[in-house]
Amino acid sequence: MRTPKPGPEAERDDRAALAVWRAAHLARNLSATVEQSTSAVAAPPPAAPPSPWSPFRHRAFTALWVATVVANIGSWMYSAASAWLMTGLDPDPLAVSLVQVATTLPMFLFAIPAGALADIVDERRFLIGAECLITVVATIFAVLVWFHLITAPTLLLFIFLIEAGSAATTPAYQSVVPQLVPREDLAAAVAMNSVGINVSRAVGPALGGIITGALGIAAPFWANAISNFGSIAALWSWHPKRDHSSHLPSERFAAAIRIGIRHARNNRHLRATIVRSTAFMLFASCYWALLPLVARQQIGGSATLYGILLGAIGASAIAGAVALPWLKTKLGPNHIVAAGSIGTALALILYGVARGPLSALAASTIAGASWIAVISNLSVSAQYSLPEWVRGRGLAVYVTALFGALTLGSAIWGQVARVAGVPMAHFFAAASVLVAIPLTWRWKLQTGASVDFTPSMSWPAPVISQSVDDDAGPVLVTVEYRIQETARDAFLDALDQLSRERRADGAYEWAIFEDVAETGRFLETFLLDSWLEHLRQHERVTNADRVLQESILRLLRDKPLVTHLIAAHRPRK
C-alpha cells in the first residue's frame, strides 16, 4: 500500500528541495483515507473517546502500517520532484493540472475491476503480486531518471502506470482492514492509516530534498523502488484467518463487477457517502491541482517552499486525526464534514490571496486539518456501509467516484486558472464548496454503523426435484403473500425496502403485483442471472435483512409461498 508517483529528470535547482510532491498525488493520500472512530453510540454516562492508538494492539496491523509508512515516504520523495519538475517543463496551468489528472485517472478507470478481484481472489496473494509489479515499474522509472531520459510526456506516462498499480491494490488494501482489527477498532484503524499517510507526506518531500542534494536527482526514485520491499515482506508474513466458508465456487470476474455495481446502486448507506464525497472532492481538488503554481508563480518561491507547504498540510492533518475521536463525540460525522468543508473553503481563499509564504503556510495548515476531518469520516462511512461479501467492490465504487471527482475537478480548475487566473480559480472553488454543504445535507454519513451485516443464513435451501446446472438461468423467483386486511400500506412500504435488499444481493427486474380477483393477495417477482447466483443470494442475506423480513411476516395471514423457475431451453438436436 504505497503512494506511487511519477518523476522525470532533475534540474539542479530542483534537486535541493525535491520537497515537492504534486497535487496529483493526493490520489494516494486519498486511497489510504482516514477516519476516526464512529463508535459514537455513547452510554448514558459520557464515555471517554475511544483511543486512536487501539489498532496497534494487533500485530498484523502494526507491521503493515509501519511498512506502508516507509513505502509512502519513498513515494512522496519522487512524487514531490515530479510535480515540481512539471512546472519547469511546462508551466501552463492546464499542463500542471494534468499531473493530477494522470494520477487520479487510473483509479477512476481501474478501481471497480480491482475491487471485483479483491472479492473473488485471495487478497494477500493478489497484493503481494501487485506490489512486486509496482516495484519493477518503479525501478525502471528510477533507471530512466538516472540516465536523464524523462520528458514531460514520459513523466505523465509513468505517473499513469504507477497509479494504475495503486488503483489495482487500493480496494484490496481497504477491504483487508477489517481482517486486521476487530470491528470496535475499525474506525481508529482507518484513522491511523491516514495518520501514516500524513506522516509520510510531512517527512517524504523534505527527506527527498536532502538526499537529492547529497546524492543526485535519481536518489528519491531509487528510494521509492526500494521502500516497497517492506510492504511485500509485511504481506508475506501475514496469514489471515478466514471467517466465512462458502461451499460455492468463486464468482466470475465479469459477473462480480456487474453484481458489485448493482449492490452499490441499491445500498443507500454507500450511496449517501458517494454523494457527499463527490460534492467535496470536485471542489477541494482545486488546491491539490494548483498548489505547485501557487508556490512557483503566485509567490515566486522555490521547490523548498513547495515542500514546506506540503509538509504543513501533512503535519496539520496528523494533529487533526488525533483530535478526531474527541470531535466525533461532540459533533458527529455530518457536522465534522460540514466544518471541514468550511475550513477547506477558507484555505482556498487564503491560497487565492497568498502573495507571501506566511499566508500560504496558514492556508496549508487549515487545509490539512480540514482534509483529514472530511476524508476520514467519508472513509469510515464507506467501510460501515458494506457487508463482507461485497466490501472490495463497494469500496472500489466509492474510490471510483472519489477519484472521478478529483480527475474531473483537476481538469476543470486547471482550465479555469488558465482563463481567469490561479487566484480566481481558488475563489470559485471556495464558493462552490460552501454551496455544496446545504445542497448535500440530506445525505447522512455513517448510517450503516448500527446495521448488522453478519450473514444470517436464515433462508432454507431451495427445494428441487432435479439437478440444476450452476449456469442455468436466468432464474425467476416468486413469493406469494396474503396480507391482513388493514396492512396494505405498511406491507407495501416494507416491500419497497425489501426490493432494495433483493437488488443489493444480486437480483434485478424486481416487481410487486396485486391480485384484482382476491383482496390481500400479492405476488413479488425478481430475476437472477443464474442458479448459482441465487444460491449466493441465500448466503448474502444479513441479520438486518432477516429483521426486515420478519416484520413483513407479521403483516401476513399465512406463510408466504416461494417458487423458483428457470428459463426453459429446448435441447439442441
Side-chain angles (χ1 to χ4, degrees), residues 144-186:
L144 293 177
V145 174
W146 179 272
F147 289 104
H148 303 287
L149 299 176
I150 295 294
T151 63
T154 312
L155 166 63
L156 295 176
L157 174 62
F158 269 90
I159 293 174
F160 185 89
L161 291 176
I162 293 182
E163 284 308 315
S166 177
T169 58
T170 293
Y173 270 120
Q174 290 185 332
S175 67
V176 301
V177 174
Q179 300 178 44
L180 298 170
V181 297
R183 182 175 176 85
E184 60 268 21
D185 291 334
L186 177 60

mmCIF file of all heavy atoms in Angstrom, residues 144-186:
data_model
loop_
_atom_site.group_PDB
_atom_site.id
_atom_site.type_symbol
_atom_site.label_atom_id
_atom_site.label_comp_id
_atom_site.label_asym_id
_atom_site.label_seq_id
_atom_site.Cartn_x
_atom_site.Cartn_y
_atom_site.Cartn_z
ATOM 1 N N LEU A 144 15.468 5.316 -15.743
ATOM 2 C CA LEU A 144 15.281 6.368 -16.749
ATOM 3 C C LEU A 144 15.673 7.735 -16.199
ATOM 4 O O LEU A 144 16.272 8.559 -16.905
ATOM 5 C CB LEU A 144 13.834 6.369 -17.227
ATOM 6 C CG LEU A 144 13.381 5.145 -18.028
ATOM 7 C CD1 LEU A 144 11.902 5.247 -18.369
ATOM 8 C CD2 LEU A 144 14.211 4.990 -19.294
ATOM 9 N N VAL A 145 15.317 7.979 -14.941
ATOM 10 C CA VAL A 145 15.706 9.255 -14.339
ATOM 11 C C VAL A 145 17.227 9.334 -14.194
ATOM 12 O O VAL A 145 17.845 10.363 -14.421
ATOM 13 C CB VAL A 145 15.016 9.425 -12.966
ATOM 14 C CG1 VAL A 145 15.538 10.677 -12.255
ATOM 15 C CG2 VAL A 145 13.508 9.504 -13.134
ATOM 16 N N TRP A 146 17.813 8.213 -13.824
ATOM 17 C CA TRP A 146 19.278 8.155 -13.648
ATOM 18 C C TRP A 146 20.005 8.567 -14.922
ATOM 19 O O TRP A 146 21.006 9.274 -14.882
ATOM 20 C CB TRP A 146 19.658 6.733 -13.234
ATOM 21 C CG TRP A 146 21.127 6.516 -13.035
ATOM 22 C CD1 TRP A 146 22.034 6.156 -13.984
ATOM 23 C CD2 TRP A 146 21.853 6.632 -11.817
ATOM 24 N NE1 TRP A 146 23.291 6.029 -13.441
ATOM 25 C CE2 TRP A 146 23.208 6.327 -12.099
ATOM 26 C CE3 TRP A 146 21.501 6.960 -10.511
ATOM 27 C CZ2 TRP A 146 24.191 6.331 -11.122
ATOM 28 C CZ3 TRP A 146 22.482 6.969 -9.534
ATOM 29 C CH2 TRP A 146 23.806 6.667 -9.844
ATOM 30 N N PHE A 147 19.457 8.145 -16.075
ATOM 31 C CA PHE A 147 20.093 8.462 -17.351
ATOM 32 C C PHE A 147 19.491 9.694 -18.027
ATOM 33 O O PHE A 147 19.736 9.938 -19.206
ATOM 34 C CB PHE A 147 20.009 7.252 -18.281
ATOM 35 C CG PHE A 147 20.889 6.104 -17.869
ATOM 36 C CD1 PHE A 147 20.351 4.981 -17.257
ATOM 37 C CD2 PHE A 147 22.257 6.162 -18.068
ATOM 38 C CE1 PHE A 147 21.159 3.924 -16.863
ATOM 39 C CE2 PHE A 147 23.079 5.117 -17.679
ATOM 40 C CZ PHE A 147 22.534 3.990 -17.070
ATOM 41 N N HIS A 148 18.683 10.468 -17.292
ATOM 42 C CA HIS A 148 18.110 11.733 -17.795
ATOM 43 C C HIS A 148 17.310 11.537 -19.081
ATOM 44 O O HIS A 148 17.458 12.294 -20.039
ATOM 45 C CB HIS A 148 19.230 12.757 -18.027
ATOM 46 C CG HIS A 148 20.047 13.024 -16.803
ATOM 47 N ND1 HIS A 148 19.579 13.755 -15.744
ATOM 48 C CD2 HIS A 148 21.307 12.621 -16.462
ATOM 49 C CE1 HIS A 148 20.514 13.818 -14.803
ATOM 50 N NE2 HIS A 148 21.580 13.138 -15.217
ATOM 51 N N LEU A 149 16.462 10.541 -19.086
ATOM 52 C CA LEU A 149 15.670 10.223 -20.273
ATOM 53 C C LEU A 149 14.197 10.592 -20.110
ATOM 54 O O LEU A 149 13.389 10.276 -20.982
ATOM 55 C CB LEU A 149 15.789 8.719 -20.592
ATOM 56 C CG LEU A 149 17.199 8.205 -20.906
ATOM 57 C CD1 LEU A 149 17.185 6.701 -21.110
ATOM 58 C CD2 LEU A 149 17.758 8.909 -22.138
ATOM 59 N N ILE A 150 13.833 11.261 -19.032
ATOM 60 C CA ILE A 150 12.438 11.595 -18.764
ATOM 61 C C ILE A 150 12.079 12.936 -19.405
ATOM 62 O O ILE A 150 12.779 13.930 -19.237
ATOM 63 C CB ILE A 150 12.177 11.663 -17.253
ATOM 64 C CG1 ILE A 150 12.356 10.285 -16.623
ATOM 65 C CG2 ILE A 150 10.782 12.168 -16.957
ATOM 66 C CD1 ILE A 150 11.356 9.252 -17.052
ATOM 67 N N THR A 151 10.989 12.943 -20.149
ATOM 68 C CA THR A 151 10.417 14.167 -20.707
ATOM 69 C C THR A 151 9.025 14.369 -20.107
ATOM 70 O O THR A 151 8.536 13.515 -19.367
ATOM 71 C CB THR A 151 10.315 14.061 -22.239
ATOM 72 O OG1 THR A 151 9.420 12.985 -22.545
ATOM 73 C CG2 THR A 151 11.674 13.793 -22.865
ATOM 74 N N ALA A 152 8.384 15.480 -20.446
ATOM 75 C CA ALA A 152 7.045 15.736 -19.898
ATOM 76 C C ALA A 152 6.053 14.626 -20.256
ATOM 77 O O ALA A 152 5.339 14.122 -19.386
ATOM 78 C CB ALA A 152 6.535 17.099 -20.371
ATOM 79 N N PRO A 153 5.975 14.189 -21.523
ATOM 80 C CA PRO A 153 5.056 13.082 -21.836
ATOM 81 C C PRO A 153 5.420 11.788 -21.115
ATOM 82 O O PRO A 153 4.544 11.055 -20.651
ATOM 83 C CB PRO A 153 5.190 12.925 -23.354
ATOM 84 C CG PRO A 153 5.693 14.249 -23.838
ATOM 85 C CD PRO A 153 6.579 14.753 -22.759
ATOM 86 N N THR A 154 6.725 11.504 -21.002
ATOM 87 C CA THR A 154 7.143 10.294 -20.304
ATOM 88 C C THR A 154 6.794 10.380 -18.823
ATOM 89 O O THR A 154 6.411 9.390 -18.194
ATOM 90 C CB THR A 154 8.654 10.073 -20.463
ATOM 91 O OG1 THR A 154 9.028 10.225 -21.820
ATOM 92 C CG2 THR A 154 9.056 8.697 -19.978
ATOM 93 N N LEU A 155 6.914 11.569 -18.279
ATOM 94 C CA LEU A 155 6.534 11.789 -16.886
ATOM 95 C C LEU A 155 5.073 11.411 -16.668
ATOM 96 O O LEU A 155 4.731 10.661 -15.759
ATOM 97 C CB LEU A 155 6.766 13.258 -16.520
ATOM 98 C CG LEU A 155 6.132 13.751 -15.217
ATOM 99 C CD1 LEU A 155 6.712 13.015 -14.029
ATOM 100 C CD2 LEU A 155 6.318 15.245 -15.071
ATOM 101 N N LEU A 156 4.196 11.940 -17.506
ATOM 102 C CA LEU A 156 2.772 11.631 -17.377
ATOM 103 C C LEU A 156 2.506 10.145 -17.581
ATOM 104 O O LEU A 156 1.650 9.558 -16.907
ATOM 105 C CB LEU A 156 1.967 12.461 -18.380
ATOM 106 C CG LEU A 156 1.987 13.976 -18.157
ATOM 107 C CD1 LEU A 156 1.230 14.682 -19.270
ATOM 108 C CD2 LEU A 156 1.381 14.335 -16.799
ATOM 109 N N LEU A 157 3.233 9.523 -18.495
ATOM 110 C CA LEU A 157 3.042 8.091 -18.748
ATOM 111 C C LEU A 157 3.393 7.269 -17.517
ATOM 112 O O LEU A 157 2.634 6.368 -17.121
ATOM 113 C CB LEU A 157 3.904 7.647 -19.934
ATOM 114 C CG LEU A 157 3.911 6.136 -20.217
ATOM 115 C CD1 LEU A 157 2.511 5.656 -20.579
ATOM 116 C CD2 LEU A 157 4.903 5.800 -21.321
ATOM 117 N N PHE A 158 4.532 7.568 -16.884
ATOM 118 C CA PHE A 158 4.919 6.777 -15.717
ATOM 119 C C PHE A 158 4.039 7.071 -14.508
ATOM 120 O O PHE A 158 3.802 6.185 -13.680
ATOM 121 C CB PHE A 158 6.400 7.002 -15.391
ATOM 122 C CG PHE A 158 7.291 6.010 -16.070
ATOM 123 C CD1 PHE A 158 7.808 6.271 -17.334
ATOM 124 C CD2 PHE A 158 7.571 4.792 -15.478
ATOM 125 C CE1 PHE A 158 8.610 5.347 -17.977
ATOM 126 C CE2 PHE A 158 8.377 3.853 -16.112
ATOM 127 C CZ PHE A 158 8.896 4.125 -17.376
ATOM 128 N N ILE A 159 3.553 8.294 -14.406
ATOM 129 C CA ILE A 159 2.564 8.584 -13.363
ATOM 130 C C ILE A 159 1.373 7.658 -13.541
ATOM 131 O O ILE A 159 0.883 7.030 -12.600
ATOM 132 C CB ILE A 159 2.095 10.049 -13.433
ATOM 133 C CG1 ILE A 159 3.212 10.997 -13.072
ATOM 134 C CG2 ILE A 159 0.909 10.272 -12.490
ATOM 135 C CD1 ILE A 159 2.858 12.447 -13.266
ATOM 136 N N PHE A 160 0.910 7.579 -14.786
ATOM 137 C CA PHE A 160 -0.274 6.757 -15.072
ATOM 138 C C PHE A 160 -0.002 5.288 -14.757
ATOM 139 O O PHE A 160 -0.837 4.606 -14.145
ATOM 140 C CB PHE A 160 -0.668 6.928 -16.538
ATOM 141 C CG PHE A 160 -1.948 6.225 -16.906
ATOM 142 C CD1 PHE A 160 -3.161 6.869 -16.773
ATOM 143 C CD2 PHE A 160 -1.931 4.925 -17.378
ATOM 144 C CE1 PHE A 160 -4.343 6.226 -17.102
ATOM 145 C CE2 PHE A 160 -3.098 4.267 -17.708
ATOM 146 C CZ PHE A 160 -4.317 4.919 -17.574
ATOM 147 N N LEU A 161 1.155 4.770 -15.163
ATOM 148 C CA LEU A 161 1.463 3.353 -14.954
ATOM 149 C C LEU A 161 1.559 3.014 -13.473
ATOM 150 O O LEU A 161 1.002 2.003 -13.010
ATOM 151 C CB LEU A 161 2.775 2.995 -15.656
ATOM 152 C CG LEU A 161 2.751 2.996 -17.193
ATOM 153 C CD1 LEU A 161 4.148 2.710 -17.733
ATOM 154 C CD2 LEU A 161 1.756 1.963 -17.709
ATOM 155 N N ILE A 162 2.254 3.844 -12.718
ATOM 156 C CA ILE A 162 2.400 3.547 -11.292
ATOM 157 C C ILE A 162 1.076 3.700 -10.576
ATOM 158 O O ILE A 162 0.720 2.910 -9.699
ATOM 159 C CB ILE A 162 3.485 4.436 -10.669
ATOM 160 C CG1 ILE A 162 4.854 4.068 -11.249
ATOM 161 C CG2 ILE A 162 3.509 4.277 -9.155
ATOM 162 C CD1 ILE A 162 6.022 4.841 -10.667
ATOM 163 N N GLU A 163 0.290 4.702 -10.964
ATOM 164 C CA GLU A 163 -1.013 4.874 -10.330
ATOM 165 C C GLU A 163 -1.993 3.779 -10.733
ATOM 166 O O GLU A 163 -2.930 3.481 -10.004
ATOM 167 C CB GLU A 163 -1.586 6.249 -10.667
ATOM 168 C CG GLU A 163 -0.929 7.367 -9.892
ATOM 169 C CD GLU A 163 -0.917 7.105 -8.401
ATOM 170 O OE1 GLU A 163 -1.953 6.685 -7.838
ATOM 171 O OE2 GLU A 163 0.141 7.301 -7.782
ATOM 172 N N ALA A 164 -1.776 3.184 -11.906
ATOM 173 C CA ALA A 164 -2.593 2.023 -12.265
ATOM 174 C C ALA A 164 -2.341 0.885 -11.276
ATOM 175 O O ALA A 164 -3.260 0.166 -10.867
ATOM 176 C CB ALA A 164 -2.276 1.574 -13.691
ATOM 177 N N GLY A 165 -1.076 0.722 -10.871
ATOM 178 C CA GLY A 165 -0.769 -0.266 -9.843
ATOM 179 C C GLY A 165 -1.413 0.084 -8.522
ATOM 180 O O GLY A 165 -1.931 -0.783 -7.804
ATOM 181 N N SER A 166 -1.388 1.359 -8.183
ATOM 182 C CA SER A 166 -2.050 1.804 -6.952
ATOM 183 C C SER A 166 -3.552 1.549 -7.018
ATOM 184 O O SER A 166 -4.169 1.127 -6.037
ATOM 185 C CB SER A 166 -1.776 3.298 -6.736
ATOM 186 O OG SER A 166 -2.460 3.777 -5.604
ATOM 187 N N ALA A 167 -4.139 1.803 -8.184
ATOM 188 C CA ALA A 167 -5.575 1.563 -8.343
ATOM 189 C C ALA A 167 -5.911 0.085 -8.163
ATOM 190 O O ALA A 167 -6.950 -0.268 -7.616
ATOM 191 C CB ALA A 167 -6.033 2.041 -9.722
ATOM 192 N N ALA A 168 -5.007 -0.782 -8.630
ATOM 193 C CA ALA A 168 -5.251 -2.220 -8.514
ATOM 194 C C ALA A 168 -5.211 -2.682 -7.065
ATOM 195 O O ALA A 168 -5.929 -3.617 -6.680
ATOM 196 C CB ALA A 168 -4.222 -2.992 -9.339
ATOM 197 N N THR A 169 -4.390 -2.042 -6.244
ATOM 198 C CA THR A 169 -4.220 -2.502 -4.864
ATOM 199 C C THR A 169 -5.105 -1.785 -3.856
ATOM 200 O O THR A 169 -5.368 -2.327 -2.775
ATOM 201 C CB THR A 169 -2.757 -2.332 -4.427
ATOM 202 O OG1 THR A 169 -2.376 -0.954 -4.554
ATOM 203 C CG2 THR A 169 -1.839 -3.190 -5.278
ATOM 204 N N THR A 170 -5.586 -0.595 -4.170
ATOM 205 C CA THR A 170 -6.320 0.194 -3.182
ATOM 206 C C THR A 170 -7.561 -0.510 -2.642
ATOM 207 O O THR A 170 -7.743 -0.595 -1.423
ATOM 208 C CB THR A 170 -6.683 1.570 -3.763
ATOM 209 O OG1 THR A 170 -5.485 2.322 -3.963
ATOM 210 C CG2 THR A 170 -7.599 2.343 -2.817
ATOM 211 N N PRO A 171 -8.467 -1.037 -3.487
ATOM 212 C CA PRO A 171 -9.643 -1.714 -2.915
ATOM 213 C C PRO A 171 -9.266 -2.905 -2.047
ATOM 214 O O PRO A 171 -9.891 -3.146 -1.004
ATOM 215 C CB PRO A 171 -10.435 -2.146 -4.156
ATOM 216 C CG PRO A 171 -9.994 -1.222 -5.242
ATOM 217 C CD PRO A 171 -8.547 -0.963 -4.959
ATOM 218 N N ALA A 172 -8.258 -3.659 -2.457
ATOM 219 C CA ALA A 172 -7.842 -4.819 -1.664
ATOM 220 C C ALA A 172 -7.276 -4.378 -0.316
ATOM 221 O O ALA A 172 -7.574 -4.977 0.722
ATOM 222 C CB ALA A 172 -6.809 -5.642 -2.438
ATOM 223 N N TYR A 173 -6.449 -3.333 -0.316
ATOM 224 C CA TYR A 173 -5.918 -2.837 0.955
ATOM 225 C C TYR A 173 -7.041 -2.367 1.873
ATOM 226 O O TYR A 173 -7.040 -2.638 3.075
ATOM 227 C CB TYR A 173 -4.945 -1.683 0.704
ATOM 228 C CG TYR A 173 -3.514 -2.119 0.526
ATOM 229 C CD1 TYR A 173 -2.823 -1.841 -0.651
ATOM 230 C CD2 TYR A 173 -2.842 -2.798 1.538
ATOM 231 C CE1 TYR A 173 -1.504 -2.232 -0.823
ATOM 232 C CE2 TYR A 173 -1.516 -3.195 1.368
ATOM 233 C CZ TYR A 173 -0.858 -2.912 0.197
ATOM 234 O OH TYR A 173 0.448 -3.311 0.041
ATOM 235 N N GLN A 174 -7.995 -1.650 1.318
ATOM 236 C CA GLN A 174 -9.098 -1.161 2.145
ATOM 237 C C GLN A 174 -9.948 -2.315 2.667
ATOM 238 O O GLN A 174 -10.428 -2.294 3.799
ATOM 239 C CB GLN A 174 -9.960 -0.184 1.338
ATOM 240 C CG GLN A 174 -9.261 1.134 1.045
ATOM 241 C CD GLN A 174 -10.171 2.124 0.349
ATOM 242 O OE1 GLN A 174 -11.087 1.743 -0.365
ATOM 243 N NE2 GLN A 174 -9.917 3.398 0.549
ATOM 244 N N SER A 175 -10.150 -3.325 1.841
ATOM 245 C CA SER A 175 -11.025 -4.425 2.254
ATOM 246 C C SER A 175 -10.390 -5.331 3.298
ATOM 247 O O SER A 175 -11.102 -6.045 4.003
ATOM 248 C CB SER A 175 -11.440 -5.251 1.029
ATOM 249 O OG SER A 175 -10.337 -5.924 0.465
ATOM 250 N N VAL A 176 -9.038 -5.329 3.423
ATOM 251 C CA VAL A 176 -8.404 -6.190 4.421
ATOM 252 C C VAL A 176 -8.324 -5.528 5.796
ATOM 253 O O VAL A 176 -8.045 -6.214 6.783
ATOM 254 C CB VAL A 176 -6.984 -6.641 3.999
ATOM 255 C CG1 VAL A 176 -7.033 -7.387 2.689
ATOM 256 C CG2 VAL A 176 -6.025 -5.468 3.944
ATOM 257 N N VAL A 177 -8.599 -4.238 5.880
ATOM 258 C CA VAL A 177 -8.509 -3.571 7.184
ATOM 259 C C VAL A 177 -9.398 -4.256 8.223
ATOM 260 O O VAL A 177 -8.958 -4.500 9.356
ATOM 261 C CB VAL A 177 -8.850 -2.072 7.063
ATOM 262 C CG1 VAL A 177 -8.886 -1.418 8.450
ATOM 263 C CG2 VAL A 177 -7.826 -1.366 6.191
ATOM 264 N N PRO A 178 -10.660 -4.620 7.900
ATOM 265 C CA PRO A 178 -11.476 -5.314 8.908
ATOM 266 C C PRO A 178 -10.930 -6.688 9.291
ATOM 267 O O PRO A 178 -11.356 -7.251 10.307
ATOM 268 C CB PRO A 178 -12.848 -5.440 8.213
ATOM 269 C CG PRO A 178 -12.876 -4.351 7.201
ATOM 270 C CD PRO A 178 -11.462 -4.269 6.705
ATOM 271 N N GLN A 179 -10.030 -7.260 8.485
ATOM 272 C CA GLN A 179 -9.409 -8.532 8.853
ATOM 273 C C GLN A 179 -8.222 -8.329 9.796
ATOM 274 O O GLN A 179 -7.781 -9.266 10.457
ATOM 275 C CB GLN A 179 -8.930 -9.265 7.602
ATOM 276 C CG GLN A 179 -10.026 -9.596 6.602
ATOM 277 C CD GLN A 179 -9.485 -10.277 5.367
ATOM 278 O OE1 GLN A 179 -8.648 -11.178 5.468
ATOM 279 N NE2 GLN A 179 -9.943 -9.860 4.200
ATOM 280 N N LEU A 180 -7.712 -7.106 9.851
ATOM 281 C CA LEU A 180 -6.544 -6.821 10.685
ATOM 282 C C LEU A 180 -6.923 -6.443 12.100
ATOM 283 O O LEU A 180 -6.133 -6.639 13.034
ATOM 284 C CB LEU A 180 -5.722 -5.689 10.058
ATOM 285 C CG LEU A 180 -5.139 -5.949 8.666
ATOM 286 C CD1 LEU A 180 -4.571 -4.661 8.083
ATOM 287 C CD2 LEU A 180 -4.057 -7.021 8.730
ATOM 288 N N VAL A 181 -8.118 -5.865 12.279
ATOM 289 C CA VAL A 181 -8.554 -5.415 13.607
ATOM 290 C C VAL A 181 -10.017 -5.796 13.804
ATOM 291 O O VAL A 181 -10.758 -5.963 12.833
ATOM 292 C CB VAL A 181 -8.412 -3.878 13.748
ATOM 293 C CG1 VAL A 181 -6.963 -3.453 13.629
ATOM 294 C CG2 VAL A 181 -9.272 -3.139 12.716
ATOM 295 N N PRO A 182 -10.482 -5.921 15.061
ATOM 296 C CA PRO A 182 -11.907 -6.163 15.301
ATOM 297 C C PRO A 182 -12.729 -4.925 14.980
ATOM 298 O O PRO A 182 -12.192 -3.821 14.853
ATOM 299 C CB PRO A 182 -11.964 -6.504 16.794
ATOM 300 C CG PRO A 182 -10.737 -5.871 17.373
ATOM 301 C CD PRO A 182 -9.694 -5.913 16.301
ATOM 302 N N ARG A 183 -14.043 -5.100 14.879
ATOM 303 C CA ARG A 183 -14.921 -4.023 14.438
ATOM 304 C C ARG A 183 -14.817 -2.789 15.330
ATOM 305 O O ARG A 183 -14.876 -1.663 14.853
ATOM 306 C CB ARG A 183 -16.375 -4.505 14.387
ATOM 307 C CG ARG A 183 -17.357 -3.452 13.879
ATOM 308 C CD ARG A 183 -18.761 -4.008 13.734
ATOM 309 N NE ARG A 183 -19.712 -2.993 13.338
ATOM 310 C CZ ARG A 183 -19.944 -2.618 12.092
ATOM 311 N NH1 ARG A 183 -19.268 -3.184 11.117
ATOM 312 N NH2 ARG A 183 -20.840 -1.690 11.814
ATOM 313 N N GLU A 184 -14.651 -3.003 16.649
ATOM 314 C CA GLU A 184 -14.616 -1.846 17.544
ATOM 315 C C GLU A 184 -13.388 -0.970 17.309
ATOM 316 O O GLU A 184 -13.367 0.204 17.692
ATOM 317 C CB GLU A 184 -14.679 -2.291 19.008
ATOM 318 C CG GLU A 184 -13.548 -3.207 19.452
ATOM 319 C CD GLU A 184 -13.884 -4.685 19.300
ATOM 320 O OE1 GLU A 184 -14.798 -5.006 18.490
ATOM 321 O OE2 GLU A 184 -13.242 -5.516 19.970
ATOM 322 N N ASP A 185 -12.355 -1.520 16.669
ATOM 323 C CA ASP A 185 -11.144 -0.733 16.379
ATOM 324 C C ASP A 185 -11.068 -0.291 14.912
ATOM 325 O O ASP A 185 -10.054 0.289 14.504
ATOM 326 C CB ASP A 185 -9.890 -1.558 16.712
ATOM 327 C CG ASP A 185 -9.723 -1.788 18.210
ATOM 328 O OD1 ASP A 185 -10.226 -0.959 18.989
ATOM 329 O OD2 ASP A 185 -9.103 -2.798 18.599
ATOM 330 N N LEU A 186 -12.123 -0.568 14.146
ATOM 331 C CA LEU A 186 -12.063 -0.300 12.707
ATOM 332 C C LEU A 186 -11.890 1.184 12.408
ATOM 333 O O LEU A 186 -11.032 1.573 11.609
ATOM 334 C CB LEU A 186 -13.319 -0.835 12.018
ATOM 335 C CG LEU A 186 -13.423 -0.556 10.515
ATOM 336 C CD1 LEU A 186 -12.239 -1.179 9.774
ATOM 337 C CD2 LEU A 186 -14.746 -1.074 9.960
#
